[in-house]
Amino acid sequence: MATKSKANTAAPNTFEQLLDYGKNNGYKLDWLQQRETFGDELDAPSNGGGLLLQDVDSGPFAEVPEWTNNVTGRPRGALTRPSAARIGKYGIRTKADVWLKNGAQLYEEAVQRQWSSATDIPWNELEELPDEIEQAECQLATFLTEVEFVAGDVPGRWISETSPDYYEPRMFLISQIMDEARHADVFRKRALANGGGLLQQNSSAALAGASIDSARDFTEMSARLHISGEGLVLSIFRMGERMAYNNAEKAIYRLAASDESRHVAFGVMHLQYVSQTDPERTEEIHSYLDEIELGLVAGTGGQNPAVRGTPSNAAIMTLLGGGTDEASLREGEQIAGAVRQRQVKEYIQRIKVAGFGDRFTNGRAAAGLTEYISA
Amino acid sequence: MAQAKKAKAAKPADKVDYEGNPLPDLPDLSWMGNTFQWGTKALPERYGGGLTLAALNIGIYGDIPEHIPHRNRLPRGAVPVISAGNIGGYYIQDKYEQWADSSPYLYEEGISRRWSTATDIPWETGRGLSDDVEVAIAQVATELSNWGSVESEVVSAWLQNLSPGYHEVKYYLSTAVYDSARIEEGYRKRALLNGAGMMLESPGRMNRACLESYGSWSNTVLFMWILRGSLMQAIVRYLSVYGPTEADRELAFRILPDIMRKSAYACDHIRFAISKKPELITTFNAGLTVAEFAQLSDFNDPVLWEALAIIFGDGVENMDEGMKIVLELQQHFLETYISKCSQANLGREAQIKSGAWAGILMGVPMTGHATPDEMRAQVAAIMQKNSGKK
């Protein structure tokens, strides 16, 4: 945001006189000083969008260091105290490890789009469903409740690992924690609001997100969580209109998809930043993508409910086909196949945007991806 | 033709499962009926409150066990499968270590009170202060932003360790992290509004105590939301009244309920923990004694108090008047802290009134301007004066 300089209302000697006055009266006031930006007023927001995080930093406060030695937890740009303890256990002290160009924008977007699972879902429009459909809804809701814990708890760990000099991505990850709590909550509500109940847990540790948990590097984690895991779930949420049997379910999928798309955007934009600023990591990132694509093609890790062989997948097929008779399941299977195609196409597009699209033309990408697209 | 296309479309998906095992032609539906309780129908509130988290706690879904044996993400009430195993973390598996009956209500309350520092604060009113007051509010804003940042670091790091079996707590804490982030960014915006910028970082000893409270989540809660939280509440409450501009007062006024929810959770949780393990009173008191030293240390740094005195006195020239309000604020902090401890079934009144804090309650502010001996002399003078009155 543009700033305008205001002439200091007090001449420097007046300010100094005030300091002297204070000191003469027993106060220390060493901290009372005008920094280089003093008097640069931010434009009052007049367009209704408000005072946004991306607009407030200027001068030294806007300088995001490529590497930071801020281990006292001070806000970016704040003046240092020699006596401050090194309290930050910040493994992430390099900008490229966590940065993206629009972290502040995504955070503000998240703040504006908060919603309530209690009042923004028309729960009174739930309708009694055939038992097999209700069971499928509840199995899928059980699955989603479980996996949403992954997407909340794992970013939480990385926030405390990240220097506050990179506060914008931290703020976004905090908004993600909030979003994911609401998702876990809304799917639990769905399971328990219409005469059903929770069904069975996912059947492997990997299904519960262990591969995301185990990532030792932020970019690796983000690729697995934001681009792969959440990208896959986003594709399913976007099929919500097909899976939903009433307006309450449609609202759940629509609102959750809106949140999820921000999370995916974070992952894509971070990966893009890495590709543009840290080319030495290119091969390393490709190796993460190799693993991710194994999951996409064969379902390794089982995080994808659109992959055959899991209860959540059977639930999706039941919902999409409209029942558990053979004809319905086969129809559901066909639509689920289309969901997988869509997942793969969206994944490829995201990786291209992130700057790693060469893998789809140089033979590096998993062969099965093209099989899906051409099927 | 259509059939051929259909077979082709299904080809990649229908061979093997995610572990490479052959799959039947049609999906396995044996999971159907695998539930501990069917027929559950949680109902929305009758008068517009919607479907709340607390309303879900019916039947077995409302059975909140004392211990969660699973170290994975099993939703409470779902049917566990052995192969899920442990996935690391989630070692806070006992109810007494995290629970508060108010959690589901605080979660819904946190969401229903959502607001934005971008659009809900009349920033245009935050202009026109004298230079010294502008720098002072930027200093206080830097300190509060710093505290908010530390809070969000601390709580978000704990989430991976708190069992999902007590999801009400985890959900509430997610809103709490978000609230802390809003303190961080709201006060950053304030500091930068007129270019004063981020000023001197926090002395940080209490930040350090919060970050180093990894012995137990309960200790973190005590340090951060009962001890430090009482101070933050006092400062923000005073800023909601004495803030130098409407924007400052509104920002503080908006943040206050967010702090109060954390306080409510903290008191409720500590009380619950003590109800289950009375011996924790000793542990908690020992922890608070250590944390209070850290807080005392920060109190002896003059920066925050001088900045507040300039704000409350409306300028350096009236700092003495401002310091009188700072003393009120410090007394309000201690009264709030004692009250919260009592509410949590931790008696701290005797320790506070007989220890290093006692001078504040007697009318001697602790601002880093007087040496301990000078403060003792001031206290002695007050005591003598009071005894003379009698």
Side-chain angles (χ1 to χ4, degrees):
Chain A
M1 180 179 281
T3 58
K4 56 189 174 194
S5 286
K6 183 188 75 164
N8 288 350
T9 51
N13 62 337
T14 306
F15 196 81
E16 282 167 13
Q17 282 171 1
L18 281 173
L19 283 176
D20 290 342
Y21 176 87
K23 288 176 180 173
N24 290 337
N25 282 278
Y27 298 110
K28 295 185 177 169
L29 297 177
D30 314 15
W31 57 273
L32 191 66
Q33 54 181 286
Q34 293 170 325
R35 301 201 62 184
E36 54 270 53
T37 53
F38 191 84
D40 292 346
E41 292 182 353
L42 296 171
D43 285 343
S46 55
N47 58 3
L51 185 62
L52 300 169
L53 200 57
Q54 59 268 31
D55 294 335
V56 297
D57 284 341
S58 63
F61 315 109
E63 290 167 11
V64 184
E66 296 299 324
W67 180 84
T68 176
N69 63 355
N70 177 1
V71 284
T72 64
R74 67 179 175 274
R76 189 172 73 217
L79 300 167
T80 59
R81 280 182 191 256
S83 60
R86 295 187 172 199
I87 54 175
K89 192 171 69 72
Y90 304 126
I92 298 182
R93 293 163 64 186
T94 303
K95 185 179 179 185
D97 285 349
V98 72
W99 194 252
L100 68 164
K101 287 176 182 167
N102 61 344
Q105 286 90 334
L106 286 173
Y107 166 75
E108 290 285 11
E109 172 79 1
V111 171
Q112 290 302 324
R113 286 179 178 260
Q114 292 297 298
W115 53 278
S116 161
S117 67
T119 55
D120 291 331
I121 306 297
W123 294 109
N124 56 359
E125 294 191 31
L126 283 174
E127 296 163 357
E128 191 173 339
L129 297 170
D131 190 62
E132 59 199 14
I133 299 297
E134 183 62 28
Q135 295 223 30
E137 289 283 4
C138 289
Q139 180 58 56
L140 184 59
T142 304
F143 168 83
L144 291 169
T145 294
E146 186 170 359
V147 298
E148 297 291 0
F149 283 127
V150 183
D153 291 350
V154 174
R157 180 198 314 161
W158 290 95
I159 289 162
S160 62
E161 295 275 333
T162 303
S163 166
D165 277 1
Y166 310 125
Y167 77 87
E168 294 93 334
R170 282 181 22 148
M171 302 297 282
F172 174 78
L173 292 173
I174 289 168
S175 75
Q176 180 180 338
I177 290 175
M178 179 70 252
D179 293 343
E180 305 298 1
R182 195 173 42 230
H183 295 178
D185 158 43
V186 78
F187 287 112
R188 186 178 182 88
K189 284 178 176 171
R190 171 58 193 89
L192 301 180
N194 201 35
L198 292 169
L199 278 98
Q200 82 176 47
Q201 179 184 23
N202 296 311
S203 57
S204 80
L207 271 168
S211 63
I212 296 170
D213 285 284
S214 59
R216 305 276 291 176
D217 171 79
F218 182 84
T219 303
E220 177 189 11
M221 182 282 293
S222 177
R224 287 180 182 178
L225 173 64
H226 294 120
I227 295 183
S228 174
E230 301 209 63
L232 299 178
V233 170
L234 174 59
S235 304
I236 288 173
F237 286 169
R238 284 179 175 158
M239 289 293 287
E241 294 287 327
R242 295 293 300 264
M243 288 193 295
Y245 282 76
N246 48 64
N247 287 334
E249 289 159 5
K250 285 179 184 173
I252 291 171
Y253 289 122
R254 193 164 53 239
L255 289 166
S258 162
D259 296 338
E260 217 73 358
S261 61
R262 280 194 305 277
H263 309 163
V264 174
F266 176 94
V268 172
M269 293 305 288
H270 168 59
L271 205 58
Q272 185 189 70
Y273 189 83
V274 174
S275 74
Q276 291 173 350
T277 61
D278 204 356
E280 288 183 3
R281 295 193 67 184
T282 300
E283 267 306 299
E284 173 204 344
I285 302 298
H286 275 301
S287 72
Y288 300 147
L289 299 177
D290 294 342
E291 293 170 351
I292 285 171
E293 288 170 11
L294 276 179
L296 270 173
V297 174
T300 308
Q303 292 155 23
N304 185 359
V307 170
R308 283 285 307 266
T310 64
S312 53
N313 173 251
I316 285 177
M317 287 167 62
T318 302
L319 292 172
L320 290 171
T324 52
D325 59 278
E326 182 175 343
S328 299
L329 286 172
R330 291 206 184 283
E331 185 182 343
E333 182 179 36
Q334 190 165 22
I335 302 171
V339 175
R340 292 209 65 196
Q341 276 192 336
R342 184 172 174 165
Q343 286 178 329
V344 170
K345 285 178 181 171
E346 289 178 347
Y347 164 80
I348 291 172
Q349 180 60 23
R350 287 171 191 137
I351 296 302
K352 284 180 180 173
V353 170
F356 293 91
D358 56 330
R359 61 187 290 110
F360 303 114
T361 54
N362 65 11
R364 174 93 186 232
L369 293 181
T370 45
E371 201 177 330
Y372 271 106
I373 293 171
S374 60
Chain B
M1 180 66 186
Q3 276 184 337
K5 188 177 178 185
K6 188 172 172 178
K8 192 178 178 188
K11 188 180 174 188
D14 65 0
K15 292 177 182 172
V16 293
D17 70 5
Y18 64 90
E19 289 173 331
N21 304 310
L23 286 168
D25 185 33
L26 289 173
D28 175 13
L29 299 177
S30 61
W31 50 269
M32 284 197 162
N34 196 11
T35 177
F36 287 135
Q37 179 179 298
W38 197 247
T40 312
K41 197 157 190 174
L43 296 172
E45 299 281 327
R46 291 180 66 185
Y47 302 109
L51 181 60
T52 64
L53 190 57
L56 305 184
N57 285 344
I58 46 180
I60 66 114
Y61 303 109
D63 291 341
I64 302 161
E66 297 299 324
H67 178 76
I68 302 284
H70 317 282
R71 287 184 63 186
N72 57 43
R73 298 186 172 103
L74 174 75
R76 191 177 73 228
V79 179
V81 294
I82 292 171
S83 59
N86 289 338
I87 56 173
Y90 301 130
Y91 65 84
I92 311 290
Q93 297 169 270
D94 287 331
K95 189 176 182 184
Y96 79 89
E97 296 176 292
Q98 58 193 293
W99 186 254
D101 287 339
S102 57
S103 304
Y105 306 100
L106 292 169
Y107 164 72
E108 296 287 7
E109 174 77 359
I111 289 194
S112 70
R113 284 181 178 257
R114 54 194 182 274
W115 62 281
S116 158
T117 63
T119 53
D120 292 326
I121 304 299
W123 292 109
E124 69 282 1
T125 65
R127 311 286 194 198
L129 295 174
S130 61
D131 291 357
D132 50 347
V133 176
E134 182 63 33
V135 175
I137 191 72
Q139 178 58 55
V140 173
T142 302
E143 184 85 36
L144 292 174
S145 183
N146 205 158
W147 294 2
S149 170
V150 167
E151 262 195 27
S152 57
E153 266 182 47
V154 171
V155 182
S156 61
W158 272 104
L159 290 175
Q160 62 187 319
N161 299 324
L162 301 170
S163 173
Y166 305 109
H167 58 263
E168 293 92 338
V169 173
K170 196 181 280 286
Y171 296 168
Y172 166 64
L173 294 179
S174 300
T175 70
V177 179
Y178 185 70
D179 292 342
S180 300
R182 197 161 41 205
I183 294 173
E184 179 183 356
E185 53 100 346
Y187 277 108
R188 185 176 185 90
K189 286 177 179 174
R190 176 59 189 95
L192 289 154
L193 182 66
N194 299 311
M198 305 306 282
M199 299 298 294
L200 192 61
E201 70 178 311
S202 170
R205 289 162 191 104
M206 196 58 209
N207 291 339
R208 184 182 183 187
C210 295
L211 282 159
E212 291 181 352
S213 62
Y214 271 83
S216 77
W217 167 243
S218 302
N219 265 0
T220 303
V221 167
L222 277 171
F223 296 3
M224 197 168 62
W225 285 342
I226 290 191
L227 176 54
R228 159 70 79 76
S230 297
L231 178 59
M232 190 188 273
Q233 180 183 324
I235 292 172
V236 170
R237 176 165 281 163
Y238 272 65
L239 286 175
S240 74
V241 177
Y242 295 107
T245 68
E246 187 187 340
D248 293 304
R249 292 188 292 275
E250 183 66 20
L251 180 60
F253 186 73
R254 290 273 186 174
I255 285 173
L256 200 50
D258 298 346
I259 295 174
M260 298 304 289
R261 283 194 298 279
K262 294 170 192 167
S263 166
Y265 166 78
C267 292
D268 201 8
H269 164 59
I270 297 299
R271 187 171 52 226
F272 180 81
I274 291 171
S275 77
K276 293 290 179 184
K277 304 255 179 192
E279 64 272 24
L280 284 173
I281 290 179
T282 309
T283 315
F284 290 160
N285 270 310
L288 280 178
T289 300
V290 173
E292 285 166 12
F293 274 118
Q295 190 66 79
L296 271 169
S297 176
D298 279 1
F299 259 60
N300 275 305
D301 183 274
V303 176
L304 177 63
W305 310 122
E306 289 183 347
L308 285 168
I310 292 171
I311 293 166
F312 297 155
D314 195 24
V316 170
E317 288 170 301
N318 296 314
M319 277 182 77
D320 289 350
E321 290 303 308
M323 274 297 176
K324 291 177 185 169
I325 300 176
V326 167
L327 172 63
E328 278 180 31
L329 185 157
Q330 292 187 343
Q331 290 174 332
H332 180 67
F333 152 63
L334 287 176
E335 285 156 7
T336 303
Y337 174 53
I338 290 169
S339 163
K340 284 182 185 177
C341 287
S342 300
Q343 196 185 340
N345 273 339
L346 275 174
R348 292 296 294 171
E349 187 167 5
Q351 290 94 327
I352 295 298
K353 289 191 170 175
S354 63
W357 299 103
I360 293 175
L361 293 171
M362 295 180 69
V364 179
M366 188 183 294
T367 59
H369 296 98
T371 65
D373 283 346
E374 288 169 339
M375 288 181 67
R376 273 191 284 274
Q378 290 177 52
V379 169
I382 290 172
M383 290 175 75
Q384 194 173 22
K385 189 177 170 187
N386 289 345
S387 65
K389 276 184 187 170
K390 283 178 186 171

